[in-house]
Amino acid sequence: MAIQQTLILIKPDGLIKSLTGNVISRLSEAKLTIMGAKVVRVSRELAEKHYEHLKGKPFFEELINYIVGDVHKTYRVLALVYQGENAITKIRDIVGDTDPEKANPISIRGSYGRITTSGVFENVVHASSSPEDAEKEIKLWFQPEEIVEDIYPIKEATLNNVKKIVWA
Ligand code: DAT
Ligand code: MG
């Protein structure tokens, strides 16, 4: 069994529907450790980097509008980093299938997700799908000082004459 990290995002639909508590309760069933948490106002640049692998898909623009908050007029997501044994599959099991209609009804996406008339999967949460994706995503969403332990190598960098700790 491997110790893994995973990035969870509670998306704008989750926030506007007041699902934050429900989602975190469901995630706690995995008995993992929270390593970082923050509310983020998502820029288009961050959204496009996060969903880089889907560039060119017909739903890409709508997906970006959704995650930045334009669709729900709710300009925030809650970002969480969890760590523990087999964290990625444990969390993905609780989160459910990408398509809310195919997701197990007792999963988070099965319970709370929906497909909009424009065909976007409003599936409430994001969860990393491999250790490689988790590392890339956590480094994109969090600075080293925002995570309670050094989960990946760090280094000192000088930006505008200010010393700063960044991911190595
Ligand atoms: P996941 O979020 O389960 O890792 P993904 O990485 O393939 O799924 O896609 C990211 C998001 O893009 C997903 O949460 C919802 C949206 N999406 C993916 N496939 C879609 C599709 N066929 N139609 C509409 N939205 C889709
Ligand atoms: Mg994915």
Side-chain angles (χ1 to χ4, degrees):
M1 289 247 242
I3 298 293
Q4 297 175 330
Q5 293 78 30
T6 184
L7 177 82
I8 314 296
L9 304 173
I10 305 182
K11 300 182 186 179
D13 53 328
L15 297 194
I16 200 165
K17 293 176 179 171
S18 290
L19 294 172
T20 313
N22 304 49
V23 169
I24 292 174
S25 295
R26 296 297 313 280
L27 296 176
S28 71
E29 290 164 20
K31 303 199 187 323
L32 302 169
T33 307
I34 295 184
M35 305 300 282
K38 63 176 177 177
V39 183
V40 183
R41 179 158 184 153
V42 182
S43 66
R44 251 160 220 279
E45 189 191 357
L46 173 60
E48 285 178 9
K49 275 189 192 151
H50 179 76
Y51 284 130
E52 213 167 34
H53 62 293
L54 296 171
K55 229 174 194 157
K57 297 275 185 198
F59 55 84
F60 184 73
E61 280 310 314
E62 272 307 303
L63 180 64
I64 299 300
N65 291 339
Y66 165 33
I67 197 78
V68 303
D70 277 348
V71 172
H72 299 88
K73 303 287 176 252
T74 298
Y75 297 96
R76 58 189 67 77
V77 306
L78 184 62
L80 302 152
V81 174
Y82 282 85
Q83 176 175 279
E85 271 180 12
N86 292 331
I88 291 169
T89 34
K90 279 184 187 161
I91 293 286
R92 291 280 299 192
D93 282 350
I94 295 168
V95 163
D97 195 281
T98 307
D99 178 346
E101 276 185 7
K102 295 203 181 111
N104 186 330
I106 65 159
S107 66
I108 294 171
R109 286 167 166 178
S111 301
Y112 303 122
R114 65 166 197 153
I115 303 177
T116 65
T117 45
S118 55
V120 179
F121 296 166
E122 271 184 21
N123 55 14
V124 189
V125 289
H126 165 82
S128 307
S129 46
S130 69
E132 296 71 32
D133 281 355
E135 178 169 351
K136 186 182 145 233
E137 292 169 0
I138 292 167
K139 288 177 171 175
L140 179 64
W141 286 81
F142 284 85
Q143 300 295 318
E145 79 239 17
E146 296 173 319
I147 307 279
V148 292
E149 287 170 27
D150 293 338
I151 56 177
Y152 305 119
I154 54 167
K155 65 177 184 193
E156 202 174 75
T158 308
L159 294 167
N160 303 325
N161 281 330
V162 182
K163 279 196 177 137
K164 205 174 173 269
I165 300 296
V166 296
W167 299 118

